Amino acid sequence: MKLLFIGDIVGKPGRRAVDKYLKQCKEEFDVIIANGENVAGGTGMTKKVCEELFSYGIHVLTSGNHVWDKKEIFDFIDDEKRILRPINYPEGTPGIGYNIYEINGYVVGVINALGRVFMLPLSCPFITIKEQVEKIKKHTNIIIVDFHAEATSEKIAMGYYLSGKVSAVIGTHTHIQTADERILSGKTAYITDVGMTGAFDSVLGVRKNEVIKKFLTQLPQRFSVAKEGGIMINAVILEIDVESGAAQSIVRVNEKTPKG
C-alpha cells in the first residue's frame, strides 16, 4: 500500500499547493492523509475548507492544538469522522481522536495525539495511544500516528515507544521538515516533523515582517497568512506491507512551485 502524508496545511496558499500537487499524482496513492489544523485563514478549520480538501482527494484530516481556533468546528466535528482531533483531550471533548477507515479496499487505523512538552497539560499521549493501538489491532495492522508535538525528544521517544506496534509515527506541528526519516528496527516508519504546506517565502506560513516585528518589539502582533512568492508542499510517501503493517520505505517530499 502506498500512502501520502501531507504536512501542516497553512491557509489558502497551502490548499492551493495541495490542489496543484494532487492533480499531478493523486492516482499514485492508495491513501492520503494531511494535517489540517491551520487550513482556514492560517489557524483552525472550517467545514467549507475541509470539504475543499476532501474534494482534492484527501481521505483523512488530522489536527493539533489549533483545532478549536475556529468556533464553527464545534458545529460539525462530531458528525465528520474524516477529521480527527488529538486523542488525549479529556473525555467528553467533541470529535474523535482515532478512527478505522476503509479506503480503496484497505483498512487503515489513524491516531492523532498531542505532545505535552511545551504544550497543553493533557493526558499522557504514550499511554493513550498504546491503549488505542491494541483496539485497532483487532481490525488492521496498518496504523498511522500523527504525533503533534513541540519537543524533538518527545517525538523521537514516541517513535521508539511505538516501534513494532504501528506502521508509522509522523511528527507534525513545527512546520519545518526534518531530515531524519527512517525505518525503525520494529519496521515502523518515523520522521520528527513532516513539515509545512503553504507559502515558501514566510515564517512558518506567516508574513515575515509581522513575525520579525513581534521579535523586535515583544508587543502583541496580529499574524496573517503569507501570500507572496511561491508555494511548497512538504510530505512523506510511505510504502506499507498490507498484511503485517510493516513499513517498507519512507521518502520525503519537498517541492516548491511558483505562485499561481
Side-chain angles (χ1 to χ4, degrees):
M1 187 191 78
K2 198 170 183 180
L3 184 147
L4 176 71
F5 192 108
I6 301 171
D8 301 43
I9 303 169
V10 181
K12 188 174 181 179
R15 303 197 306 271
R16 189 169 68 247
V18 170
D19 184 27
K20 294 181 72 171
Y21 183 77
L22 292 183
K23 279 179 178 175
Q24 301 171 9
C25 61
K26 178 173 63 176
E27 303 305 321
E28 295 180 19
F29 305 108
D30 302 301
V31 177
I32 302 173
I33 304 170
N35 186 288
E37 70 155 2
N38 296 308
V39 293
T43 180
M45 311 169 83
T46 65
K47 187 172 184 179
K48 181 180 178 180
V49 296
C50 290
E51 290 294 343
E52 177 185 335
L53 291 169
F54 292 139
S55 75
Y56 296 156
I58 292 174
H59 299 111
V60 181
L61 284 172
T62 56
S63 62
N65 55 303
H66 289 295
V67 64
W68 314 116
D69 286 5
K70 294 285 189 294
K71 300 311 175 188
E72 74 169 77
I73 189 76
F74 294 102
D75 296 332
F76 66 90
I77 193 169
D78 280 329
D79 298 322
E80 182 50 85
K81 304 306 181 186
R82 292 174 294 178
I83 298 174
L84 299 180
R85 51 84 171 161
I87 195 170
N88 47 332
Y89 272 100
E91 185 177 352
T93 300
I96 54 175
Y98 84 100
N99 204 2
I100 300 170
Y101 302 93
E102 186 170 341
I103 303 170
N104 292 325
Y106 299 99
V107 180
V108 182
V110 184
I111 302 173
N112 190 188
L114 202 62
R116 294 194 294 183
V117 179
F118 309 125
M119 300 284 276
L120 299 172
L122 301 180
S123 299
C124 176
F126 291 82
I127 295 172
T128 306
I129 291 174
K130 186 178 179 182
E131 290 173 349
Q132 302 311 318
V133 166
E134 293 171 356
K135 295 178 182 179
I136 295 173
K137 283 282 189 181
K138 298 175 182 178
H139 304 276
T140 181
N141 286 321
I142 303 172
I143 303 175
I144 309 298
V145 176
D146 174 349
F147 189 38
H148 199 80
E150 181 77 32
T152 298
S153 58
E154 190 178 20
K155 291 180 177 180
I156 294 174
M158 182 66 78
Y160 285 119
Y161 179 71
L162 295 177
S163 180
K165 301 178 180 69
V166 302
S167 304
V169 175
I170 308 297
T172 60
H173 178 63
T174 63
H175 290 208
I176 299 296
Q177 189 179 77
T178 55
D180 62 341
E181 75 279 10
R182 67 190 81 171
I183 304 294
L184 301 175
S185 59
K187 300 299 181 183
T188 293
Y190 173 83
I191 187 168
T192 296
D193 203 284
V194 68
M196 180 197 83
T197 298
F200 174 71
D201 192 19
S202 70
V203 178
L204 309 184
V206 175
R207 285 179 171 166
K208 305 186 298 294
N209 290 343
E210 295 172 0
V211 179
I212 292 170
K213 184 178 180 180
K214 170 69 175 179
F215 282 119
L216 286 173
T217 66
Q218 293 300 300
L219 296 174
Q221 176 65 40
R222 186 181 184 90
F223 291 154
S224 53
V225 175
K227 298 179 181 178
E228 303 80 12
I231 54 178
M232 68 176 184
I233 183 163
N234 283 174
V236 287
I237 299 171
L238 307 173
E239 291 191 357
I240 300 170
D241 180 76
V242 177
E243 295 300 322
S244 67
Q248 298 174 324
S249 67
I250 177 171
V251 177
R252 281 183 291 130
V253 175
N254 187 340
E255 294 192 9
K256 305 174 186 67
T257 61
K259 182 180 179 181

